[in-house]
Amino acid sequence: MSDLDQLLGQIRAMPVDARLEQMDGVVMQGVARRRERGMARRSMMLAGLLALGIGWAGSIVPSAPAQAAPIGMSDYAPSRLLGQ
């Protein structure tokens, strides 16, 4: 057991790596980035579900029956606009 105590004492006496001082900021940036990705993913899922719901509701309850346009000359045809 004294060997283990000596090894731990030697490790305790070693200088601390300078990168450990910057670790807090890096970890917090990672947490914030992960939170943003999760929020973006939830927003995209909500938008997709909303689009599906609107599409489904629009297919179930149409606003007016579909009618074909009459075949003929348009009011905006060049011959009508020029008075011929």
Side-chain angles (χ1 to χ4, degrees):
M1 196 65 171
S2 63
D3 291 335
L4 181 61
D5 291 335
Q6 288 176 353
L7 287 174
L8 290 175
Q10 290 173 355
I11 291 173
R12 188 179 307 124
M14 292 173 61
V16 177
D17 191 358
R19 294 177 295 175
L20 291 176
E21 293 176 6
Q22 302 168 354
M23 191 168 73
D24 288 343
V26 174
V27 168
M28 294 310 289
Q29 287 175 354
V31 168
R33 197 175 317 125
R34 185 174 176 140
R35 184 179 301 139
E36 288 171 4
R37 272 193 255 140
M39 182 152 327
R41 188 176 296 129
R42 282 191 297 273
S43 298
M44 288 298 289
M45 287 186 344
L46 179 62
L49 287 173
L50 183 64
L52 283 172
I54 290 172
W56 178 76
S59 68
I60 297 294
V61 184
S63 60
Q67 293 181 352
I71 297 176
M73 193 179 301
S74 170
D75 290 338
Y76 299 111
S79 59
R80 289 221 178 163
L81 292 175
L82 294 174
Q84 295 178 358

